[in-house]
Each structure stands twice: as C-alpha cells, then as structure tokens.
Amino acid sequence: MTRPKSDSRRRRDGRAPENVSPRARWLATIAIALVVGYLLLFFLARLPDLGGASRAEAILHILLLPDEAATEWFGEPAEFALGDRLGVLLPAAVFLSVCALVGFAVLNKIGAFAGLTKLEQAYFSSCAGCGIVSLYTLLVGLAGGLPYRALFLAPILGAAAWGLMRLWQMRPFRAARQQDANHVDVDPDARRWLWWAAPFVIAITIGGALTPTEFDVREYHLQVPKEFYQSGRISFLPHNVYGNMPLGSEMLPLAAMVVTGDWWFGGLVGKAMIALAAPLTMLGLFAAGQRFVSTTAGVLAALTYISTPWIVRVSTLGLVEGFSALYLWGTVYAVIIWWRENRAADSLRLLMAGFLAGSAAACKYPNVLYVLIPAGVVVAVRAWRQARVQVGNITTTDAERLSPLDWLRPVAAFAIAGCLACGPWFVKNWVLADNPVYPLAFRIFDGRTRDAELDAQWRRAHRPPGFAPGQLMASTANIAWRSAWLNPLMLPLAILGVATSCYRRLGLGLAAYALVILAVWWLFTHRIDRFWIPAMPVLAFLAGLAVSPGAVVPWRWPVKAVIAGCLALDLVLIVGGGSGDISYFVSTKRLLEDPERVQVGHQFLNDKLTKDDVLLTVADAEVFDLRMPVLYNTVFDRDRFETLMTGRTTDERRLALAELGVTYVAVAWNEIERYRSPGNYGFTDYIRPSLFDELVRTGVLAQALPLVDEQQRPLRYQIFPVAAASSAGK
C-alpha cells in the first residue's frame, strides 16, 4: 500500500504544504468545480419521490413552515410521549449489549482480538454477537423450543456473563491506534466533529422505536417472527413466500418476542434493535478510518454514512438493509486487517470475517453475491499469492516457508465460518421446502407449493426490467442524484477520495468492490433502490479518503463549511419528514388509532373481533397489527380464498370456511387494484365483486359491514361476516 510521505514539506497540522505543484492546484480547482456543479444538480433537480419538487424546495418548505413538522413530531393536540419510546429503546439497548457480550466471549475465546483497539473489539463483538444470537434463535426455533424462555435466558445470559467477566479481567486498554507509521491527522480536533452525528443517531433510535408503518415490515419482517412465536416453532409457511427465505435479521425480533413474552412489544424491541445497526456501522467506519488512514478520514466516513437519508429511512421503518450493511462492512474491515497483517496462514481473523460474511448471507439472498462470494475470492487470491511468495523466497528458513497447499488453510477457515453462519438457513429450506434457495431456482429444485404459474409471476416481478442504455442511464441517475434519499456528500467525496488520496491502492480496491455490488444489483435484481444500500459503508469510507493526508482538497475551513452545510441540510430534510415517519413524541396509543398509519378496516377488526374469531383476508398481507388469528397469503402465493371457493358448491364452501373456523372475510380492493395496475405484480382474476355478490346471495357470507372513512366515504376495504358463523353467534 502506498503510504503518505512525511517530510519537511508537510506541515504538522496536516494541511497541504505551501509549495503545492501547479498540477495539484489544477486538480484541486477542477475537483472543486465538479463538486459545486454536482451540488447544484443535486439540490435543484426535480425528483419524482418528492412529487416533482426539488430538494431545495422541500428543504425551504420545511424551514418556512416548521409548524407542519412540529405537528408530526408531537401530534395534534400535542403530546410528549418520550416514555413510550424509552420503554422500547431501553430493552433494545440491553438486548444489544447482551449480544455484544456474547460476541465478545466467543471472539475472545478464539483469539480474534489480537492487535485490535477497544473500539474495534466492541464493534466486532456487536456484529458477531448479533449473528450468534440470530443463529441460536434459528436452531432453537427449528427444534420447537420457542415456548421455553429459559432456553434463551440461560445460555445467552450465561455467555454474556462470561464475556463480562473476561472483559473485567483484561488489563486496561491503552489509547494506541493501529495506523500507518507516517500517519498525520489532518485535524487534531477532528473527533469533535463526531458530535454532528448525535442528531442523526437520535432520529434513528427514536424513529426505530415507533410503531411499524412500512408494508414489507408488517407483511414479513415482523409478521413472520410473530407467526413463529405464536406457533412455538420455526416451520415452513405455505402462505408467505418471504417467510421461507433467510431471515437472519428477523431472528432478533423473534428472540425479543420470546424473552418479553409478547409478540407486539417484542416486535417493537426487535425493530429498535434493527435500527441500531446504523450507529454500529458508523462506529465501524470511524474505527476503520483511524486504523487505515487518519482520525479525520474516519470521522468524515462515519458522518457521511449516518447522515444519509436512505440509512435513516430504512433504519426507522424497520427494513433490514442496515443489518446487511453492518455485516458487509464488518467483513470488509476484518479482511483488510488480515490482508495488511501479511500472514496468509493466520486463520483467526478469517474465522471472524467468514462468520460475518455468512451472517450477511443469512439476512438476504443477494448478500451471497454482495458479500460472501467476493470476500471469499479475495481471501483465496490473497492467500494463494502470499503462499507463492513465501515458498519462492529463498531468504526464508524452512520453518518460515509455507507449503503450496497452505493457502487452503485461511480459505477453509473463511468458508467454514461462513457456512456455519448461513448454512443452516439453506439446509432448513432444503428440508422444509425441498429447495435450498426457495423460491429461487424453481426450474432446478422445484419447491414446495410452487408451480410454473407462481414461479413465472415471481420472476416477472423480480427480474431486471431491461438492459437498454437508457435504463442504465436512469439507474445511474437514481444512484447519483435523482433518488430523494441520497447524501450530497457521499458520491462526490468518494470520487475525490479515490482520485486524489495517496491511499490509492486501498481506494481503488474498495471502489472496485463498490462497483461489483452495484453491477450485481443492476444485473440480477429488480433494481429497487434500497437493495444497493449495503454498498453505502464502502462509499462512505471512500468519502473519508477525500480528506486523508496528502489529498488534493485540504481539510480547511471552506471544505469544513461545505460539509457542515450539507449535514445541516440532510438533518432538516430528515427531521422534517423527508425520509420517513417522524412521529417521535406521539403516544403509541394514538399511533395505533391514526388512520394514516393503521387503516380504518384494521382498527375496526381489532375493536370488533376477539381471539375466538378467525379472519380470512383477501389481498391483505399487511397483517402484523391484527390481534385476532388471521389466515392470509402474499401476492406471490396461491390465493387462499380462491382455493376454498373455486369449483365448490354452496354447501362445500360453507363447510370449507367452517373447518377453518373462519368468522369474517376481509377484502382489500385497493390492494387488488394496485396489484392489477400496469407493470405491477398481477392478481388472480377469480376475485371479483360479482363473486362476493354471489356468496352473499347464496348465504355463504352475510352483507358487508358498513365501513366509512373520516370523510364518510365507503372504504375500499370490505369486511363480510361468515353467514353460518354470524347465525351461530346470534
């Protein structure tokens, strides 16, 4: 790796020397001009996600009408229900601390902490601990042990206590940082800039404790753990295709449900834990900057990441991309440390890296291509090259030489640890669903409940929409400036970091890796923007390189002013509602009654139905909030109601509903219209208003209940009592 030179020309405050070459001045001028042009485009471009407004207009609107944001913060009439948030955040923080102690106990036992600073040990312990607890929850759930709280409390708390004891016994840590010998901090007071992260961290943590509102979260990120908890085991879900995919992140809400003994409160605690992945990743970026470059680079990388509206958005909504990013950066960090230690046969660091890569793959299928395979290839290539160098070096002694096959030792360590973390998910799918990558690869493995029609629907919805040059340009624009939740600092500083930093080899390697992730996203996914979020820690670290020692753009007050200004604008957009729910201080009770968050139909069902009722929904899979037993299916599964009704007589239809104990049927016509809209997922033609008219006429269902919204308009959500059940109730 090329290291910054430390000579008489470099000033001790880290600023560029006065006798800068004309070429460097021209580069700095061009870089500044490009950044200014980019920022103008970034803030003035009109964005579809903002209703055609620009970021500048959205920010100006928030600044001119702060009472609108205040109303969302506190509700109307105003509340200050901070206790509702703290009641969720405190258990989440305790749970995450226990996970960190479990990770510390394991990593300390295998000797993976050698040469790591205190901050690095805390970071890697948290990452590994979450993966270990997630894996343990999966194994206990598969064994049917979810009803037994002691199975969680005894071993997890025991491992945490042992880790705490080991932490207490260790000698005090010194403040030494693992950095280049010629390291010079660009700004000795750079750590003070970390305080800029505080408002973003607060927004993420408080937002993470809010009740869930996002569709995917209520459909499977929390709904699937709820079903596992209620059934007492992890099993195949024929009605929810997403529930049979790797759900490593979702195991934390499941564990919280078991420990708290309540699916609702445990789900909120688990959602808050998922949000806390973002601050952990920020700490990992800061620690990596300190080790590999400078404190200033670490601070800027951390700030760039945590201030990105996309990160705040997915974290507060309860989406799991933040955990994918956490594991990805942990893997990258551990592999780079191993690479720089220059000991190819040392496998301890790679046990940690492999487990984190496998934990990423246990969260989502794309992480196999994003993390597990690329990291494995890097490890294999590095180990093979290092083995060749050492074997061919005639200056080494026989004891120091490596066998040509010794390169397999680190590769095996990485692979075994990776398979340990994610292998059980693929084995579970193979056993329960007859397909290790269910529902993918249907033509190879088939898969339980899948058929050619459902597979075609899945592939239409999840394949890339096309590969024309215009589509590539549109995707590039979305990544660069057109998405409403990007950070104005990330892309220009990342490019500057790669182009101008004297840490050229590190920058180019990470830039190549970021391009690999983006290429996989574009070539193999359906290109939802948040699917490339795992690349953001890499881009944020590259942004930190822009202010590394020797960079063309020095860390002076104009640069600080631009960075501070962008951070302030990001914060205004985030807390003004531009990146998600900002009902920070509204009580949970009011949030559950707010029709903008919980639809009127669901409120009615929760008020009207009891635990003895059974609800069958049609086209409504967003059912986490419902407190009664629910039979539902996702749009990518065979419709349950159609299966019960089609090809049957009136008596057979009544009997089919009675056998399942169904007392009410709810139909989400608004969702059906959305699914049937051009370019959407599609929905069965069997479900029509005429079908329900027939069922009411023949006495299978009673008349739909009269539901209206706040403006007294009929809802596009109908609830039909089952006629036989209704008569029995009378």
Side-chain angles (χ1 to χ4, degrees):
M1 177 176 294
T2 303
R3 297 178 177 177
K5 296 180 179 179
S6 179
D7 54 28
S8 59
R9 294 186 303 159
R10 176 158 298 283
R11 293 168 49 167
R12 292 307 300 166
D13 62 0
R15 296 178 182 174
E18 296 300 331
N19 54 339
V20 178
S21 67
R23 179 176 176 273
R25 293 184 184 277
W26 273 107
L27 283 175
T29 302
I30 294 173
I32 292 172
L34 291 176
V35 168
V36 170
Y38 172 81
L39 291 178
L40 289 174
L41 173 64
F42 187 89
F43 285 106
L44 297 180
R46 299 193 172 276
L47 309 177
D49 291 330
L50 296 180
S54 67
R55 284 185 182 84
E57 291 172 337
I59 293 171
L60 186 62
H61 179 84
I62 294 170
L63 292 175
L64 292 178
L65 298 172
D67 54 312
E68 292 185 3
T71 299
E72 291 193 55
W73 277 34
F74 300 102
E76 191 175 7
E79 295 180 295
F80 189 70
L82 183 59
D84 286 11
R85 306 293 94 82
L86 294 179
V88 173
L89 287 172
L90 291 178
V94 170
F95 204 112
L96 192 61
S97 299
V98 170
C99 291
L101 288 171
V102 170
F104 182 87
V106 174
L107 295 182
N108 180 70
K109 183 66 176 178
I110 67 174
F113 283 156
L116 298 185
T117 65
K118 183 177 181 179
L119 179 59
E120 289 172 328
Q121 292 188 26
Y123 169 71
F124 284 117
S125 295
S126 300
C127 295
C130 289
I132 293 168
V133 172
S134 171
L135 179 61
Y136 180 79
T137 304
L138 169 66
L139 298 178
V140 172
L142 289 173
L146 296 180
Y148 308 105
R149 188 182 303 178
L151 289 177
F152 285 82
L153 293 178
I156 293 177
L157 291 180
W162 188 79
L164 185 62
M165 181 184 66
R166 291 294 300 153
L167 183 64
W168 182 266
Q169 292 174 347
M170 293 178 67
R171 295 180 179 180
F173 293 95
R174 295 184 177 181
R177 297 189 301 271
Q178 298 291 335
Q179 295 167 320
D180 288 323
N182 292 327
H183 162 80
V184 176
D185 264 336
V186 176
D187 186 347
D189 297 323
R191 283 186 184 83
R192 297 179 182 177
W193 277 71
L194 276 179
W195 285 106
W196 276 89
F200 299 100
V201 172
I202 293 172
I204 287 173
T205 53
I206 295 180
L210 291 169
T211 56
T213 60
E214 210 276 336
F215 186 95
D216 287 357
V217 176
R218 295 197 284 194
E219 181 190 37
Y220 71 97
H221 289 310
L222 291 182
Q223 171 61 23
V224 169
K226 170 188 171 183
E227 292 186 56
F228 290 156
Y229 170 75
Q230 291 177 326
S231 66
R233 68 183 309 113
I234 292 176
S235 58
F236 179 78
L237 300 182
H239 54 278
N240 193 325
V241 64
Y242 301 103
N244 307 300
M245 298 182 182
L247 298 171
S249 302
E250 290 82 353
M251 291 298 98
L252 296 178
L254 176 57
M257 292 176 186
V258 174
V259 171
T260 61
D262 182 82
W263 63 264
W264 170 255
F265 181 68
L268 291 185
V269 171
K271 177 176 176 288
M273 290 181 64
I274 289 173
L276 292 173
L280 283 177
T281 307
M282 178 195 74
L283 293 179
L285 287 164
F286 173 64
Q290 281 195 314
R291 171 178 283 268
F292 301 129
V293 186
S294 69
T295 301
T296 309
V299 167
L300 183 56
L303 289 177
T304 301
Y305 182 79
I306 202 67
S307 65
T308 300
W310 255 128
I311 300 302
V312 178
R313 181 176 178 80
V314 299
S315 300
T316 56
L317 290 177
L319 298 166
V320 300
E321 278 73 20
F323 249 99
S324 295
L326 174 69
Y327 289 135
L328 181 147
W329 184 247
T331 303
V332 171
Y333 195 171
V335 168
I336 295 176
I337 293 175
W338 169 79
W339 181 297
R340 289 164 61 91
E341 286 173 343
N342 209 29
R343 296 194 299 271
D346 185 1
S347 59
L348 294 179
R349 202 77 78 201
L350 290 179
L351 288 173
M352 181 171 66
F355 186 81
L356 296 180
S359 297
C363 291
K364 277 182 174 289
Y365 282 134
N367 290 336
V368 175
L369 299 178
Y370 286 171
V371 190
L372 191 61
I373 291 177
V377 169
V378 169
V379 168
V381 171
R382 174 64 172 175
W384 178 72
R385 291 182 62 184
Q386 190 63 22
R388 285 192 60 188
V389 169
Q390 294 196 27
V391 169
N393 186 355
I394 60 174
T395 64
T396 60
T397 65
D398 291 339
E400 292 174 329
R401 291 186 182 182
L402 293 174
S403 163
L405 296 180
D406 274 351
W407 71 277
L408 290 175
R409 187 183 306 167
V411 176
F414 181 90
I416 291 172
C419 290
L420 175 66
C422 67
W425 286 101
F426 297 99
V427 173
K428 166 246 181 191
N429 277 353
W430 204 326
V431 173
L432 299 182
D434 303 325
N435 181 346
V437 291
Y438 182 96
L440 310 180
F442 169 79
R443 297 176 181 177
I444 300 175
F445 298 107
D446 199 345
R448 187 175 167 187
T449 75
R450 309 308 290 175
D451 56 33
E453 181 182 356
L454 289 176
D455 179 63
Q457 181 194 22
W458 175 272
R459 287 188 290 106
R460 282 196 306 270
H462 293 86
R463 67 189 177 191
F467 302 96
Q471 291 168 317
L472 177 60
M473 294 179 65
S475 297
T476 302
N478 284 338
I479 292 173
W481 75 83
R482 203 162 60 188
S483 171
W485 304 298
L486 296 173
N487 189 329
L489 295 174
M490 185 170 286
L491 186 61
L493 290 184
I495 293 174
L496 284 176
V498 175
T500 67
S501 172
C502 54
Y503 290 84
R504 187 67 53 82
R505 198 171 167 191
L506 177 62
L508 289 175
L510 289 176
Y513 179 46
L515 290 175
V516 167
I517 297 175
L518 293 175
V520 170
W521 168 79
W522 199 78
L523 293 172
F524 300 109
T525 76
H526 49 321
R527 298 178 193 160
I528 294 178
D529 277 0
R530 61 183 169 87
F531 272 37
W532 68 269
I533 283 178
M536 286 188 175
V538 180
L539 294 174
F541 186 83
L542 292 175
L545 294 183
V547 294
S548 62
V552 170
V553 180
W555 182 250
R556 291 177 175 169
W557 72 263
V559 177
K560 294 180 182 180
V562 171
I563 292 173
C566 289
L567 291 174
L569 293 175
D570 275 341
L571 184 61
V572 169
L573 192 62
I574 288 168
V575 300
S579 63
D581 191 2
I582 58 170
S583 305
Y584 299 134
F585 305 112
V586 181
S587 65
T588 299
K589 182 179 184 299
R590 183 183 290 182
L591 291 177
L592 291 177
E593 297 172 351
D594 187 346
E596 293 186 2
R597 292 170 175 80
V598 180
Q599 61 159 296
V600 175
H602 283 190
Q603 292 181 36
F604 177 88
L605 290 168
N606 278 332
D607 293 337
K608 173 78 173 178
L609 275 62
T610 70
K611 63 180 181 180
D612 296 323
D613 289 303
V614 176
L615 174 70
L616 173 59
T617 67
V618 181
D620 182 9
E622 198 177 8
V623 296
F624 174 74
D625 294 317
L626 296 177
R627 294 193 290 267
M628 73 296 300
V630 182
L631 302 176
Y632 74 99
N633 60 270
T634 74
V635 70
F636 296 110
D637 296 293
R638 187 64 63 193
D639 186 82
R640 277 187 160 184
F641 193 74
E642 178 181 4
T643 302
L644 293 173
M645 297 293 109
T646 186
R648 299 193 179 193
T649 65
T650 297
D651 289 339
E652 289 172 338
R653 288 172 171 175
R654 290 173 179 164
L655 180 61
L657 293 174
E659 287 178 343
L660 293 174
V662 176
T663 55
Y664 289 86
V665 175
V667 188
W669 294 110
N670 55 336
E671 288 296 286
I672 293 174
E673 292 171 0
R674 181 172 69 89
Y675 289 139
R676 287 173 175 166
S677 62
N680 212 295
Y681 299 151
F683 194 81
T684 174
D685 290 332
Y686 182 79
I687 304 298
R688 296 286 179 184
S690 57
L691 170 65
F692 290 88
D693 293 340
E694 176 192 347
L695 293 173
V696 171
R697 186 176 64 253
T698 56
V700 176
L701 301 178
Q703 286 287 344
L705 301 176
L707 296 181
V708 294
D709 61 16
E710 291 182 329
Q711 286 76 39
Q712 301 301 309
R713 295 173 301 187
L715 289 180
R716 297 293 292 152
Y717 190 92
Q718 287 186 302
I719 300 174
F720 297 87
V722 174
S726 177
S727 299
K730 295 178 181 177

